[in-house]
Amino acid sequence: MAKPRILVTRRWPAAVEARLADRFDAVLNRSDTPLAPEEFRAAMRDYDAILPTVTDKIGAPALELERPQTKILANYGVGYSHIDLEGAGRHGIVVTNTPDVLSECTADLAMTLMLMVARRAGEGERELRAGQWTGWRPTHLVGTKVSGKTLGIIGYGRIGQEMARRAHHGFGMKILAYNRSPVAPDVLAACDATQVASIDELIPECDFISLHCPGGAANRHLIDARRLSMMRPDAFLINTARGEVVDEVALTQALAFDTIGGAALDVFDGEPRINPDLMQSDRLVMLPHLGSATREAREAMGFRVMDNLTDFFEGREPRDRVN
Ligand code: 8YV
């Protein structure tokens, strides 16, 4: 049987690309430039599988074609709000993602952001590199203690639970969890966490709030001006989920008027474009979507995509099917 023809839309770790090229009739993207919408649509006519990432917007226009050749979109990444699942489903296209293998690294990055913003690490590094550090003094760049504080986690899935584990067992933090569905008692007990009934109930109780829910239309501006105004004036917001979950205009206002302690973002609405008003705030830490950016996680994500493809083309249900 001929090898399935697959298109990888971005550069992937070399070890994974080599295995893909061996097992499939694979076209790789050596130049790493994102596909234009027309190129994506053309690819849907040619390839049995497309392996997209978060930088491929696969909305209704990308799926407007008759009888595509593509049978599976095997996404590289756990989040898939960039893919129109319904549209793909109408063509009978299977969509898969890569959960589990990036949970620890993404939680590590959320911890990084929490510590950076609380301890003013970004400000400190900027000052030092600008040659403006005048030396130690008792009142210099005084931040906020993290250990022992209350952390609210919105979205108590795999990544949220890893975040709780680090914060509770490493930093003695008290964990409050909001999740759409009930969390199993043993899962809560592992971090002595309390599940609260609503986001509105969670926010005023927290010193830190970390977002670990999916993006997409349902969660767009879940954190809006009203909810930002419910935060304690010294509380911090951390977002490693998706940019659209936070109303960035409301966030710039909250930062400008000091109604919250600060924020730390790894993801942005319309990234890589950054709302210029965000640049104005010194109490904001920003990273360029690095959540899963470790050699280990990125290779494991690639191999997880391969597992899904292998299952699919050998007639089994792929383990990470999401539609
Ligand atoms: C990926 C992510 O780097 O997995 C996700 O959902 O946000 C990141 O881990 C990115 O989405 C690649 O598609």
Side-chain angles (χ1 to χ4, degrees):
M1 201 183 86
K3 288 178 179 176
R5 204 167 138 66
I6 69 165
L7 174 68
V8 186
T9 68
R10 300 302 299 261
R11 245 333 327 213
W12 283 21
V16 190
E17 286 189 341
R19 291 262 291 275
L20 281 171
D22 184 49
R23 198 171 305 169
F24 300 98
D25 177 3
V27 170
L28 306 174
N29 182 353
R30 299 268 184 226
S31 70
D32 203 21
T33 40
L35 293 191
E38 320 77 75
E39 293 175 299
F40 189 87
R41 241 197 326 266
M44 297 272 293
R45 294 202 179 85
D46 276 355
Y47 293 89
D48 301 311
I50 300 179
L51 282 49
T53 75
V54 71
T55 57
D56 301 295
K57 300 281 166 266
I58 311 174
L63 294 164
E64 250 167 45
L65 76 168
E66 300 277 312
R67 284 196 292 279
Q69 172 63 26
T70 300
K71 304 287 180 284
I72 177 168
L73 295 170
N75 186 58
Y76 182 91
V78 66
Y80 47 83
S81 56
H82 52 288
I83 303 175
D84 173 4
L85 287 193
E86 236 173 74
R90 271 198 292 278
H91 289 299
I93 298 173
V94 167
V95 181
T96 58
N97 70 343
T98 61
D100 305 318
V101 291
L102 45 67
S103 302
E104 290 183 304
C105 289
T106 305
D108 288 350
L109 194 92
M111 288 298 296
T112 306
L113 285 175
M114 180 166 72
L115 292 165
M116 280 183 78
V117 70
R119 300 303 303 274
R120 306 179 66 177
E123 286 175 80
E125 211 212 17
R126 285 194 291 279
E127 180 187 273
L128 185 145
R129 285 182 180 275
Q132 287 167 352
W133 184 29
T134 57
W136 191 91
R137 55 199 188 278
T139 55
H140 181 220
L141 283 182
V142 170
T144 301
K145 183 174 178 178
V146 173
S147 294
K149 296 287 180 65
T150 297
L151 170 64
I153 296 183
I154 296 182
Y156 210 66
R158 288 165 283 227
I159 301 173
Q161 289 167 34
E162 287 294 340
M163 178 69 173
R165 199 156 71 83
R166 284 153 179 70
H168 181 69
H169 295 289
F171 291 79
M173 296 181 88
K174 176 179 166 192
I175 308 296
L176 296 180
Y178 169 78
N179 199 59
R180 272 176 313 183
S181 51
V183 179
D186 58 318
V187 172
L188 290 171
C191 294
D192 202 11
T194 305
Q195 183 167 12
V196 296
S198 69
I199 295 176
D200 289 3
E201 194 180 316
L202 176 134
I203 290 177
E205 303 301 320
C206 298
D207 302 299
F208 296 88
I209 296 163
S210 191
L211 305 175
H212 298 285
C213 54
N219 285 344
R220 184 168 179 79
H221 294 184
L222 195 71
I223 305 299
D224 57 6
R226 185 182 68 81
R227 287 193 167 133
L228 285 166
S229 74
M230 295 169 74
M231 285 175 65
R232 293 181 182 171
D234 52 357
F236 297 89
L237 178 70
I238 295 120
N239 189 9
T240 54
R242 280 293 178 265
E244 66 264 20
V245 178
V246 176
D247 178 347
E248 286 178 358
V249 173
L251 178 64
T252 59
Q253 297 283 310
L255 291 166
F257 292 105
D258 283 344
T259 66
I260 64 172
L265 308 175
D266 186 45
V267 284
F268 301 86
D269 201 6
E271 64 186 47
R273 187 193 55 81
I274 304 292
N275 179 337
D277 292 340
L278 290 175
M279 299 287 192
Q280 306 307 316
S281 178
D282 249 344
R283 289 176 307 111
L284 177 64
V285 172
M286 294 186 280
L287 293 179
H289 202 148
L290 295 181
S292 66
T294 64
R295 184 173 45 76
E296 292 87 344
R298 291 286 165 86
E299 286 187 356
M301 290 160 70
F303 291 127
R304 187 81 173 221
V305 171
M306 277 190 75
D307 290 348
N308 284 316
L309 283 180
T310 304
D311 280 345
F312 180 78
F313 286 114
E314 291 181 359
R316 295 181 296 273
E317 179 77 358
R319 64 190 292 192
D320 302 318
R321 182 172 182 168
V322 294
N323 67 341

